[in-house]
Amino acid sequence: MRTLVSVLLGFALLLGPRSGWGCELPATGQTTCWDSNGNVIPCAGTGQDGELREGAPLAYVDHGDGTVTDVNTGLMWEKLSHDGTVHDDHNTYTWANAISAHVATLNSTNFAGHNDWRLPNVRELLSIVTYQNLLPTVAPAFDNHCSSGCDVTRCSCTFSGDTWTSTSEADSPSNQWFVDFQDGQVGAGLEHGSGPVRAVRDASTGCSLPATGQTTCWDSSWNVIPCAGTGQDGELRKGAPLAYVDNGNGTVTDLNTGLVWEKLSDDGTVHDKDNLYTWANAFTAHVAALNFTSFAGYNDWRLPNVRELQSIVNYQNVNPAVSSASAFNTNCAPGCPATTCSCTASGDYWSSTSSVSDPWNAWYVRFSYGRVDAFGRSDGKSGAAYVRAVRDATASTTTTSTTSTTTSTASSTTVPGSACNNATVIPAGGGTFSGTTSGTSTLAGTCGSSGSSPEKVFQWTPSLSGPATIETCGSGTTYDSVLYLRAASCATGAEVQCNDDACANASGLFRASRIMPTVTAGTTYYIVVDGFGGSSGSFALRVTPPGASTTSTTLAGAACGSATVIPAGGGTFTGTTSGTSTLAGTCGISGLAPERVFQWTPTTSGTATIQTCGAGTTYDSVLYLRSPTCTSPEVTNGCNDDACPNASGLFRASKVTPVVAAGQTYFIVVDGYSGSSGSFTLSVTPP
């Protein structure tokens, strides 16, 4: 007979990662790995945050009205300016005035058409920290090199300092928690008693973050006060209520995030709460021991990233700051094993995330009261701290995923009369193919939850070996797709790669899919376009075989006068910017930097992707698109300063996703920020 706990957990996992019972946390944004001495190292096999990149890829939508929505959490954020208005990022407030002055002003003026603005809690404000960037540690949506005089409709600014939250410090409630956007630290008690404010409001989309757990309100003299009307975290209690299930095998599942956590014991085993490790040994000793012994039946345990580790802090409690009546602090007594008790030491716990500013340090969470820090330990990564491992609830027990795209050798079978019998043969040279999924499900991939969605199958035999790109990205895909590739046989062939979410679909959300497998010439592959959790609809499948991209360099001379013509089918093009500046875009500060220009006339209409992302771009690029001439105004959504990492790993490369028209000529300008120049790789993907 199944217990109520097992029924609840099974239901939670069945609903999937966007159901409200298992929402992925936003990723940290970290893409680089460092050793304990602070040296950059290859990420492969390290288990560091920069390798695994767990969580939902960071994604934001600018509404053009002074607000930005986080696609993952659904939270709508106030953009900040540098124009002396209420939105100015240099305005500072006492904590009381943060609510009574700043937030109240936004609501009384119906800012951006809304009057439900509020102060974010500590979990919400930390969710927009990007741990790959510094000064400030945010994505370009919140900092696009704003300049004096710019307003929130034209720029986005973030002050590199301590910013207020609505959450009080439970052990010293005259202090309130802040997030330091210089580096991402979470502390309490501003040094001078005042700081900047960024307001937030709820939207109907996205996945709620876990609540902080705080239910009490205090005044500035530590006195408990009635919460009604305060706007404090204890009154609003925003987020999904904290909820956990003890699995009875030494693990506990967070029903909000879907993460499965190792319980800690007090029995002298590898799970003992008092075990201490250097940062390197957290991976090579603790996590490795769990995987070697297949703890709780799994061998994909890992060190949590800093966002994941902070997600289990309960800011109502102290010593330890976890849920005391359930998951992480119950029945702990000398000799108790992890199957019968759950323990948490009131100390520092390692995360897998390094400090970008001081990479010989790693981020840790202090579970005495909930501080997130990387600088409070003089011995850095060489010092000793506690460890609690984690794994993904939906992950395979034998295959470790390092991104949202998984590679495996798993295969699944189909039923007679399935989509395999009606596979559409596509040419070796690939192309773009449209279709609609409908009917019943006959196939399922190893990623996402595609067993209840109908699918379409394409048969492809490439004539060249090497890396291919297969995707459903863009406006041609109207639903939440899942994409996977099988080799040799549609029904029983080994799955080569599978992806659930990698790029935006017609809704602008990251609900389309992309895989980039290495294929072998002459081998027949089956491409399956499926759906998540019963989803179906229209799709556009683009198959780019190995060697399909072309490479070019720009010519000498004035930029507009020597634009390089690129094929209608796009491709990848390399070059170097040097010399003097002759053009400037409307974003960033590009009037001081040299540029190179490409001329492109697509043959299909729709949303294109043009970018300088990746290791081929060595400097801080700016990218803009003009039409119908090189000196014409920019097209809509046609200018970007920072959107993705360049060779340094910082978000200093650019991406635009304009809607283009077949037969119309466009001029793509690769420029630089504030005099920057260097080598670049430009990728142009047509609709």
Side-chain angles (χ1 to χ4, degrees):
M1 178 177 177
R2 299 182 70 191
T3 65
L4 177 60
V5 165
S6 65
V7 171
L8 285 173
L9 181 57
F11 182 56
L13 299 183
L14 177 64
L15 288 174
R18 285 182 295 280
S19 64
W21 286 72
C23 290
E24 275 191 305
L25 294 165
T28 68
Q30 189 155 111
T31 57
T32 306
C33 298
W34 294 268
D35 65 17
S36 294
N37 295 317
N39 301 308
V40 174
I41 58 173
C43 282
T46 62
Q48 294 185 29
D49 189 6
E51 177 193 15
L52 302 184
R53 307 181 190 183
E54 295 287 342
L58 304 180
Y60 306 96
V61 173
D62 192 316
H63 300 291
D65 60 357
T67 69
V68 169
T69 291
D70 184 332
V71 173
N72 289 309
T73 65
L75 294 171
M76 179 181 288
W77 293 92
E78 172 196 13
K79 290 173 62 182
L80 299 182
S81 63
H82 200 40
D83 59 356
T85 68
V86 67
H87 309 293
D88 197 291
D89 67 326
H90 285 77
N91 293 341
T92 58
Y93 305 83
T94 64
W95 189 64
N97 284 342
I99 298 173
S100 64
H102 184 86
V103 172
T105 298
L106 299 189
N107 288 329
S108 65
T109 58
N110 213 41
F111 170 56
H114 304 286
N115 61 4
D116 55 356
W117 295 98
R118 58 183 174 81
L119 200 61
N121 66 41
V122 64
R123 192 105 69 211
E124 292 171 327
L125 191 57
L126 188 66
S127 74
I128 65 171
V129 167
T130 302
Y131 284 92
Q132 184 67 26
N133 297 341
L134 286 170
L135 298 170
T137 178
V138 290
F142 298 102
D143 181 62
N144 59 2
H145 297 305
C146 66
S147 56
S148 180
C150 70
D151 61 40
V152 289
T153 61
R154 297 186 296 114
C155 68
S156 192
C157 310
T158 296
F159 178 73
S160 296
D162 302 341
T163 300
W164 287 120
T165 78
S166 63
T167 309
S168 296
E169 184 184 8
D171 70 330
S172 183
S174 62
N175 294 327
Q176 290 74 39
W177 289 100
F178 64 79
V179 175
D180 184 354
F181 282 97
Q182 174 176 280
D183 46 45
Q185 182 187 55
V186 176
L190 290 179
E191 182 179 357
H192 301 295
S194 64
V197 176
R198 186 190 297 277
V200 73
R201 61 177 297 272
D202 302 314
S204 59
T205 60
C207 273
S208 293
L209 294 164
T212 68
Q214 191 155 108
T215 57
T216 304
C217 299
W218 294 269
D219 65 17
S220 58
S221 300
W222 299 31
N223 300 309
V224 174
I225 59 173
C227 283
T230 63
Q232 294 184 29
D233 187 8
E235 175 194 15
L236 302 182
R237 306 182 189 183
K238 292 293 183 177
L242 303 181
Y244 307 96
V245 169
D246 191 314
N247 302 311
N249 60 357
T251 71
V252 63
T253 296
D254 184 335
L255 295 182
N256 287 311
T257 65
L259 294 172
V260 179
W261 292 92
E262 172 196 13
K263 290 171 63 183
L264 299 182
S265 62
D266 195 11
D267 59 356
T269 67
V270 67
H271 309 293
D272 196 289
K273 67 178 178 64
D274 296 319
N275 293 340
L276 293 168
Y277 304 85
T278 64
W279 192 66
N281 285 343
F283 299 95
T284 60
H286 186 85
V287 172
L290 300 190
N291 288 329
F292 180 77
T293 58
S294 291
F295 167 57
Y298 301 102
N299 60 7
D300 54 359
W301 294 98
R302 56 183 175 81
L303 201 62
N305 66 41
V306 63
R307 188 111 64 213
E308 293 170 328
L309 191 56
Q310 192 261 356
S311 74
I312 64 172
V313 172
N314 185 327
Y315 284 92
Q316 181 68 20
N317 300 329
V318 295
N319 293 316
V322 292
S323 296
S324 58
S326 58
F328 301 106
N329 186 35
T330 183
N331 300 324
C332 187
C336 72
T339 53
T340 61
C341 71
S342 192
C343 307
T344 298
S346 295
D348 301 340
Y349 281 74
W350 287 124
S351 81
S352 62
T353 310
S354 292
S355 163
V356 176
S357 62
D358 300 299
W360 52 90
N361 291 321
W363 289 97
Y364 57 86
V365 175
R366 182 164 293 168
F367 277 94
S368 52
Y369 54 99
R371 183 182 182 90
V372 179
D373 201 354
F375 314 104
R377 303 170 57 84
S378 60
D379 42 9
K381 291 177 178 176
S382 299
Y386 302 108
V387 176
R388 185 190 298 275
V390 73
R391 62 176 296 272
D392 301 310
T394 57
S396 163
T397 61
T398 57
T399 302
T400 300
S401 171
T402 59
T403 67
S404 60
T405 298
T406 61
T407 300
S408 74
T409 57
S411 62
S412 59
T413 59
T414 62
V415 297
S418 72
C420 285
N421 296 332
N422 298 302
T424 300
V425 178
I426 62 177
T432 301
F433 312 89
S434 60
T436 302
T437 59
S438 62
T440 58
S441 175
T442 60
L443 301 172
T446 61
C447 65
S449 300
S450 56
S452 59
S453 301
E455 63 283 312
K456 292 294 184 186
V457 179
F458 295 81
Q459 179 180 329
W460 179 49
T461 306
S463 57
L464 295 173
S465 298
T469 300
I470 304 169
E471 57 189 348
T472 59
C473 310
S475 59
T477 302
T478 62
Y479 70 107
D480 190 346
S481 68
V482 175
L483 186 65
Y484 44 100
L485 184 71
R486 294 176 176 175
S489 170
C490 174
T492 60
E495 187 180 274
V496 180
Q497 277 193 5
C498 185
N499 175 257
D500 181 11
D501 296 328
C503 48
N505 64 5
S507 69
L509 300 179
F510 272 63
R511 297 295 180 256
S513 310
R514 178 188 292 125
I515 56 177
M516 293 185 287
T518 298
V519 297
T520 302
T523 297
T524 296
Y525 296 90
Y526 292 87
I527 303 165
V528 185
V529 181
D530 212 321
F532 176 84
S535 296
S536 62
S538 300
F539 64 85
L541 172 70
R542 182 178 296 109
V543 179
T544 305
S549 298
T550 58
T551 301
S552 174
T553 57
T554 55
L555 305 175
C560 281
S562 56
T564 300
V565 178
I566 63 177
T572 302
F573 311 89
T574 61
T576 303
T577 59
S578 62
T580 58
S581 175
T582 61
L583 300 172
T586 62
C587 62
I589 303 173
S590 56
L592 304 175
E595 64 283 313
R596 289 292 179 260
V597 180
F598 295 81
Q599 180 179 330
W600 178 50
T601 306
T603 56
T604 55
S605 299
T607 302
T609 301
I610 305 169
Q611 57 187 325
T612 58
C613 311
T617 301
T618 62
Y619 70 107
D620 190 345
S621 69
V622 176
L623 185 65
Y624 44 100
L625 187 70
R626 296 174 172 177
S627 183
T629 72
C630 182
T631 56
S632 295
E634 292 164 5
V635 304
T636 303
N637 296 325
C639 190
N640 176 256
D641 181 10
D642 296 327
C644 48
N646 64 4
S648 69
L650 298 178
F651 273 64
R652 294 295 179 256
S654 310
K655 178 191 290 184
V656 294
T657 53
V659 175
V660 297
Q664 184 167 326
T665 298
Y666 296 87
F667 290 85
I668 302 166
V669 185
V670 181
D671 212 322
Y673 176 78
S674 189
S676 296
S677 62
S679 300
F680 63 86
T681 296
L682 172 70
S683 174
V684 178
T685 305

